[in-house]
Amino acid sequence: MAALTGNLTVNGDRLWDSLMEMAKIGPGIAGGCNRQTLTDEDAEGRALFKSWCDAAGMTMGVDTMGNMFMTREGTDPDALPIYVGSHLDTQPTGGKYDGVLGVLGALEAVRTMNDLGIKTKHPIVVVNWTNEEGARFAPAMLASGVFAGMHTQDYAYARTDLDGKSFGDELARIGWKGDEEVGARKMHAYYELHIEQGPILEAEGKDIGVVTHCQGLWWLEFTLTGKEAHTGSTPMPLRVNAGLAMSRILEMVQEVAMKNQPNAVGGVGQMRFSPNSRNVLPGKVVFTVDIRTPDQAKLDAMRAEIETRGAEIAAELGVGCSVEAVGHFDPVTFAPDLVSNVRNAAERLGYSHMNIISGAGHDACWAARVAPATMVMCPCVDGLSHNEAEEISPEWAKAGTDVLLHAVLESAVIVE
């Protein structure tokens, strides 16, 4: 392991150029990206990524969920691979770095190994997971969830977008449905580099977040059924107003999250009114409550209270109420040995660092169910993400990728 010194670093300019080149595919309208999963833009981004991996001498495998696995061979044919990656899909108004940094940072680590002639005992596999965002097909981290046995493939294929198009049909349409059995691959370890998506690292002036845990999550989809009626001629006492019930439930979610402080959040980011007309009271309102905390007991209690009180609020107004859990994962504790590898790498390279809990879900959360896993985080400006204004610096990107390279090589074992 003598090769692991502070002088071993990636090519930051090449990494940044790759990030900017990928960002040209599915450009947003305000400087970010709209490269939603299983769209033509997603297919184009995948093809560009494959071309770069081909040039780096890697071989490709694709499973039946569209997960891409790009392999750099190791010297020991019996050694399980080190998996490194994230996702290339974005939010409808997403940034240029969320997920993408993790995939292209992993590729840059391999390119650097190639440049320096570094051989490893374990193969290294750079992975692009399908539909991490969950923006088009809920839930998030769908394909890594199938890989880890948390969802069935039939369930995933049946997920539909707002236009009624199914995941399975769209995967086949864009030409990225592979033939590998999902989850058949075995991992020695999994690493994922990601922007923080929060303000802590920047506020603390730290280069690197050493991720020790990931928050648990519930996405609870409420369907409220009222009575469509004219907003001008229907007397207030005679209304069955699903919109009013929704507003009161939103206030309740805020209250539940606040009373469970610290380290708990709750809110609503998506809602749909029907018929969504200016002068018609909604007959149906569908919205999703997102609650998160690293405390399992707190997460379970928040869900129970929100579902119970939501039903009570609706009943008081004569509104029908049903709730479906459309996304979930329990809090994750990442592998201590891999966390130590990340921390040691940051110290070896002279980067300031701190322990951090991921507030967002990541494919690493599901990978941790089947193999030792951890994450590396770099700051993002003002903690802003899932927004076209998302921004990081080239220096942050390089620092995170340097740490990723060193941590991966600790697990992959350099062969002299």
Side-chain angles (χ1 to χ4, degrees):
M1 301 304 293
L4 283 181
T5 69
N7 295 323
L8 176 57
T9 64
V10 302
N11 184 329
D13 291 338
R14 180 172 57 193
L15 170 63
W16 195 255
D17 288 345
S18 297
L19 289 166
M20 295 304 103
E21 195 67 24
M22 183 62 73
K24 294 177 182 177
I25 299 175
I29 59 175
C33 290
N34 180 7
R35 198 169 51 249
Q36 296 179 66
T37 197
L38 307 189
T39 58
D40 293 342
E41 292 79 11
D42 183 22
E44 186 179 351
R46 288 166 175 264
L48 177 59
F49 171 57
K50 178 183 182 300
S51 72
W52 287 336
C53 292
D54 289 345
M58 306 171 80
T59 57
M60 182 176 75
V62 182
D63 68 20
T64 51
M65 283 296 292
N67 296 315
M68 299 173 66
F69 303 102
M70 318 303 288
T71 301
R72 182 184 195 260
E73 295 298 335
T75 61
D76 184 347
D78 296 323
L80 291 177
I82 310 300
Y83 283 70
V84 199
S86 193
H87 60 98
L88 293 175
D89 69 312
T90 75
Q91 291 284 331
T93 53
K96 298 189 288 283
Y97 313 102
D98 175 2
V100 185
L101 176 63
V103 177
L104 300 187
L107 172 60
E108 175 55 36
V110 168
R111 286 169 163 172
T112 298
M113 293 177 207
N114 290 345
D115 291 345
L116 300 177
I118 294 174
K119 296 180 180 180
T120 60
K121 173 184 175 181
H122 294 264
I124 294 169
V125 178
V126 178
V127 56
N128 169 38
W129 300 104
T130 302
N131 191 45
E132 191 275 350
E133 291 290 2
R136 186 178 178 201
F137 301 100
M141 300 123 63
L142 183 61
S144 58
V146 176
F147 185 95
M150 309 308 296
H151 310 299
T152 67
Q153 183 169 280
D154 287 345
Y155 167 84
Y157 277 12
R159 298 301 89 199
T160 56
D161 64 10
L162 293 179
D163 296 323
K165 297 178 180 178
S166 74
F167 179 99
D169 288 347
E170 287 294 272
L171 178 59
R173 182 189 66 80
I174 69 166
W176 282 93
K177 179 180 178 181
D179 55 11
E180 283 192 17
E181 178 187 353
V182 184
R185 289 169 169 261
K186 304 303 179 187
M187 301 179 182
H188 181 68
Y190 177 82
Y191 289 93
E192 182 167 348
L193 168 64
H194 210 282
I195 64 172
E196 181 193 350
Q197 301 182 282
I200 297 172
L201 293 175
E202 185 186 33
E204 296 292 332
K206 302 297 184 182
D207 302 314
I208 298 296
V210 181
V211 187
T212 60
H213 299 77
C214 187
Q215 292 191 120
L217 167 152
W218 279 107
W219 282 355
L220 306 174
E221 185 174 88
F222 278 74
T223 300
L224 303 179
T225 307
K227 182 185 292 184
E228 294 177 19
H230 197 295
T231 57
S233 59
T234 307
M236 297 298 286
L238 300 181
R239 299 181 177 204
V240 183
N241 191 344
L244 178 59
M246 180 206 70
S247 68
R248 291 183 179 175
I249 292 172
L250 264 59
E251 287 280 3
M252 177 269 292
V253 169
Q254 174 77 7
E255 176 192 332
V256 170
M258 290 303 296
K259 80 176 187 180
N260 279 282
Q261 295 304 301
N263 301 323
V265 295
V268 173
Q270 182 185 66
M271 59 184 68
R272 302 191 297 277
F273 275 50
S274 176
N276 201 31
S277 175
R278 291 181 180 86
N279 59 347
V280 181
L281 294 172
K284 183 178 180 180
V285 178
V286 180
F287 60 97
T288 304
V289 173
D290 183 329
I291 55 173
R292 308 183 190 212
T293 173
D295 184 317
Q296 181 71 62
K298 189 179 290 187
L299 183 68
D300 294 341
M302 288 174 68
R303 178 193 178 184
E305 181 173 0
I306 287 169
E307 289 189 348
T308 298
R309 292 179 61 186
E312 292 171 352
I313 289 168
E316 289 172 2
L317 297 170
V319 171
C321 176
S322 64
V323 183
E324 178 187 1
V326 295
H328 169 66
F329 53 87
D330 288 336
V332 175
T333 299
F334 288 122
D337 289 351
L338 302 194
V339 171
S340 293
N341 287 349
V342 172
R343 186 179 297 109
N344 292 341
E347 292 175 355
R348 184 183 306 119
L349 290 157
Y351 291 127
S352 59
H353 60 88
M354 63 180 290
N355 289 350
I356 195 167
I357 295 173
S358 175
H362 301 283
D363 294 306
C365 297
W366 288 146
R369 307 288 172 175
V370 296
T374 197
M375 299 185 68
V376 183
M377 284 187 171
C378 77
C380 58
V381 175
D382 295 329
L384 190 63
S385 184
H386 286 191
N387 186 308
E388 292 199 56
E390 172 186 285
E391 192 58 73
I392 66 174
S393 71
E395 292 76 20
W396 289 343
K398 181 180 184 300
T401 307
D402 283 341
V403 170
L404 180 72
L405 170 65
H406 278 241
V408 168
L409 286 175
E410 286 269 14
S411 291
V413 185
I414 293 175
V415 177
E416 300 292 347

